[in-house]
Amino acid sequence: MTRYADIPKPIRSGIVLIDPERGTPQRIIVLQFNPDTLERSLAPQSAGGSGDSGGGGSGDRNEALRLKGPAQETWKFTAEIDATDQFEVAAPDGIHPQLAVLEMLVQPTSAQLREASRLSKTGTIEISPIEMPLTLFTWGSKRVMPVRLTELSINESAFDVNLNPIRASLSIGLKVLTVSDLPAGHRGAELYFAHLAQKERLAGAARAGGLGTLGLTPGDIGMGRG
């Protein structure tokens, strides 16, 4: 007889907001359904690109193999929220709360805005931009990275009798924050180092290929030539 208790519980992807000073989680957002697909893009920060040469051409030839810093990595995926899939959970507001939590990732709070307005009225010359909590995106234990939300597009597709949304799909875009984006010693920078170290460990576990598989010999690529 099948014992359903032995079936491992699936891991959910999600977003964690943490205090950058203390490192304590402030809020954990668990995605109701794991996205079916992920679109990832990595743009290398090449030192020898044409943008660094000050004009046309292909840039400084001495810099062709050099990198200025870590690649700029972006993620895009579609998340689904559906109140009808959770009949046992009371939802008097539909999925308004879940949507609001995600929208607040790109909005300062009303208290922060009021404080900035108060400072401007008292003649404060320079008002610092409002700092948001450090945001982490998690996709299992091997992908935990500091991010900034760059895109949030919401398509609400069903409503209850009070016009509360009960089903929606969200297009979410994220930019991975690297040591080029964060100050030295920042908790987010240390988390990026951990994210990069994880990539290095996984790359080291990949099986190495051989020249023979490619139909090449060491002499074909200049090895062993005097």
Side-chain angles (χ1 to χ4, degrees):
M1 183 175 66
T2 302
R3 297 179 59 189
Y4 292 101
D6 294 337
I7 299 176
K9 192 174 183 179
I11 299 297
R12 295 293 183 191
S13 55
I15 295 171
V16 182
L17 304 182
I18 68 173
D19 185 311
E21 297 294 331
R22 301 181 180 88
T24 54
Q26 296 181 324
R27 181 181 285 274
I28 299 173
I29 303 170
V30 180
L31 298 184
Q32 185 179 357
F33 307 105
N34 286 332
D36 291 330
T37 62
L38 294 172
E39 179 184 345
R40 301 194 300 122
S41 174
L42 287 88
Q45 299 300 296
S46 304
S50 58
D52 299 310
S53 62
S58 58
D60 189 342
R61 296 178 183 178
N62 294 324
E63 302 293 325
L65 300 181
R66 297 183 183 275
L67 296 174
K68 296 184 295 184
Q72 298 295 305
E73 184 176 355
T74 59
W75 290 52
K76 290 184 179 180
F77 59 89
T78 299
E80 305 287 341
I81 304 177
D82 191 345
T84 63
D85 190 63
Q86 299 177 316
F87 287 114
E88 72 282 3
V89 180
D93 300 315
I95 59 173
H96 270 307
Q98 295 95 315
L99 294 178
V101 165
L102 292 169
E103 290 177 53
M104 289 308 299
L105 295 178
V106 295
Q107 300 246 46
T109 65
S110 57
Q112 290 171 323
L113 290 174
R114 289 183 185 277
E115 177 62 13
S117 177
R118 185 190 67 79
L119 290 173
S120 66
K121 290 179 180 179
T122 58
T124 302
I125 297 176
E126 183 177 354
I127 301 175
S128 299
I130 296 171
E131 183 173 2
M132 302 294 285
L134 177 60
T135 303
L136 304 181
F137 178 66
T138 71
W139 186 271
S141 61
K142 295 180 179 63
R143 288 173 169 175
V144 179
M145 65 212 81
V147 298
R148 180 173 64 238
L149 198 69
T150 58
E151 176 187 340
L152 179 59
S153 177
I154 303 171
N155 181 11
E156 299 174 2
S157 57
F159 305 86
D160 64 17
V161 294
N162 296 314
L163 292 184
N164 294 311
I166 58 174
R167 186 183 304 123
S169 62
L170 301 90
S171 297
I172 297 176
L174 304 170
K175 177 186 183 299
V176 178
L177 297 178
T178 73
V179 292
S180 298
D181 303 304
L182 298 163
H186 190 280
R187 189 174 300 275
E190 295 304 316
L191 286 166
Y192 174 75
F193 276 127
H195 169 59
L196 187 59
Q198 179 69 272
K199 286 181 181 287
E200 294 167 357
R201 285 192 291 271
L202 293 172
R207 180 185 300 178
L211 287 176
T213 307
L214 304 177
L216 300 175
T217 66
D220 292 326
I221 59 174
M223 295 177 63
R225 294 179 182 176

